[in-house]
Amino acid sequence: MTRLSEIYPPDRVVLREVGLRDGLQMVQRYPSTAAKAEWLRRESAAGVRHFEIGSFLPAKAMPQFADVRDIIDICRSLNVHSAALALNDRGATDAVQTPVGEIVTVVSATEEHSQANTRRTREEAIALVGKTVELARGSETSPLVQVGIAMAFGCSIAGKVDPDDVVRIAAACAEAGVDMIGLADTVGFAGPDQVQDLVECVKNELGDVALSIHLHDTRGMGIVNASAALDAGIRVIDGSLAGLGGCPFAPGATGNVVFEDLVYLCERKGFATGIDLEQLMSVREIASSEMPDEQLFGALPRAGAPRLISWRAR
């Protein structure tokens, strides 16, 4: 069994909580390190095992991630899988000097967003992916490397995205040696048919490459798109506690699909998550206390969680 399949078993659904990274990108106030530690402790006690917890970016630009190394150590003490974003050479170099379990890097599906987000072309971004893989493979801890293809379903700067461009980028990143490819609906343009079609296109081109999906709920389609992704065979899905999140370089981007609602969706579709919903929803108290000006979303927290039983097992 490879390390990838140990961390992301292909026969089960894995839900990754990205609230401590994507969820904090655009907030005015952010949790203290102690509050982040409690966030992680309580979510891990609820059964969450995969987290994206910060970025290796200059603290001056993103002070909310200045404690990323401390948070990685906390994840290690809790025996949960940590992932962190690295957008440049310096970030990747810093990342491999920590025990982070996974480095996430990004290639934009459009030139316009690539320039706005990272000030580099798509080809330069793909080259950086290759360098990140080399750094990871040559390090003592050998973290996994995932590339997220931003704006894969539509771009708020360029408009429509050609699926062939996404497939080409995915193929180039697979050739560079990434462990997983993420398809990101960065600004919530996608619908369920588009999700299924793009997943099918990538699978047809790349075969058994590991895929994940990262969804935003900008237009209220996050949960239905997650359902379509599950039907298309995706088994790794990102979500954010209370739907926090957004992209500062993507006009119109709002929060991620609500993690609590995502857990409920999976359970109702017969995919066991191992996550206790009541315990999970209690973590919202931390977000509310630490970031009182942020709006918290979620249908399940609003309506309450019924007692869950196993309708089907997949």
Side-chain angles (χ1 to χ4, degrees):
M1 180 179 287
T2 67
R3 184 161 179 263
L4 176 67
S5 60
E6 290 174 353
I7 295 171
Y8 292 103
D11 59 347
R12 56 162 292 191
V13 167
V14 173
L15 302 181
R16 179 167 52 190
E17 210 277 269
V18 303
L20 290 176
R21 201 282 295 175
D22 199 333
L24 301 186
Q25 285 196 141
M26 297 176 66
V27 297
Q28 298 302 309
R29 293 174 56 180
Y30 48 87
S32 66
T33 302
K36 290 180 182 180
E38 182 66 4
W39 181 319
L40 288 164
R41 186 194 67 77
R42 288 173 62 175
E43 285 202 1
S44 65
V48 184
R49 311 308 300 167
H50 295 74
F51 297 88
E52 193 174 74
I53 46 77
S55 299
F56 286 93
L57 293 168
K60 184 177 181 180
M62 288 284 184
Q64 58 266 59
F65 304 131
D67 59 359
V68 63
R69 293 165 182 80
D70 294 328
I71 303 304
I72 290 167
D73 288 340
I74 290 165
C75 286
R76 194 177 187 188
S77 71
L78 293 170
N79 195 30
V80 296
H81 182 66
S82 62
L85 184 69
L87 290 178
N88 52 35
D89 287 322
R90 175 64 182 271
T93 299
D94 289 347
V96 298
Q97 295 172 6
T98 75
V100 71
E102 182 174 344
I103 301 172
V104 180
T105 188
V106 174
V107 177
S108 297
T110 68
E111 287 291 343
E112 291 87 345
H113 180 253
S114 187
Q115 292 290 345
N117 192 40
T118 62
R119 298 179 184 174
R120 63 174 63 95
T121 68
R122 291 179 295 180
E123 297 308 316
E124 290 170 338
I126 292 169
L128 178 59
V129 170
K131 291 180 182 178
T132 302
V133 171
E134 290 177 7
L135 283 168
R137 300 295 180 264
S139 69
E140 292 184 6
T141 56
S142 191
L144 300 178
V145 177
Q146 177 174 186
V147 60
I149 303 179
M151 301 291 185
F153 297 93
C155 177
S156 56
I157 302 173
K160 186 176 180 180
V161 171
D162 188 340
D164 289 342
D165 283 347
V166 178
V167 172
R168 179 187 64 81
I169 292 168
C173 292
E175 180 68 21
V178 297
D179 296 288
M180 185 177 292
I181 295 169
L183 303 176
D185 187 19
T186 313
V187 286
F189 275 18
D193 289 349
Q194 188 184 9
V195 168
Q196 288 192 311
D197 288 347
L198 187 57
V199 170
E200 182 178 344
C201 286
V202 174
K203 284 186 172 183
N204 286 343
E205 178 68 24
L206 302 183
D208 293 332
V209 66
L211 294 177
S212 69
I213 197 157
H214 179 95
L215 300 166
H216 283 245
D217 200 36
T218 312
R219 292 164 181 82
M221 299 294 283
I223 282 294
V224 70
N225 287 339
S227 183
L230 288 167
D231 292 343
I234 294 291
R235 293 295 177 265
V236 180
I237 308 178
D238 291 349
S240 177
L241 183 77
L244 294 166
C247 177
F249 301 106
T254 55
N256 294 264
V257 63
V258 176
F259 192 74
E260 304 92 301
D261 293 349
L262 183 58
V263 173
Y264 184 64
L265 167 73
C266 290
E267 295 286 349
R268 286 304 304 253
K269 287 178 74 72
F271 296 99
T273 65
I275 298 171
D276 184 296
L277 274 167
E278 293 291 352
Q279 289 188 58
L280 174 65
M281 288 191 292
S282 74
V283 184
R284 294 168 67 96
E285 299 166 359
I286 299 174
S288 179
S289 175
E290 294 286 310
M291 300 178 288
D293 297 329
E294 296 299 321
Q295 185 174 0
L296 305 185
F297 299 94
L300 192 71
R302 183 177 63 248
R307 185 178 299 277
L308 294 177
I309 60 173
S310 179
W311 286 274
R312 292 176 291 153
R314 296 194 186 186

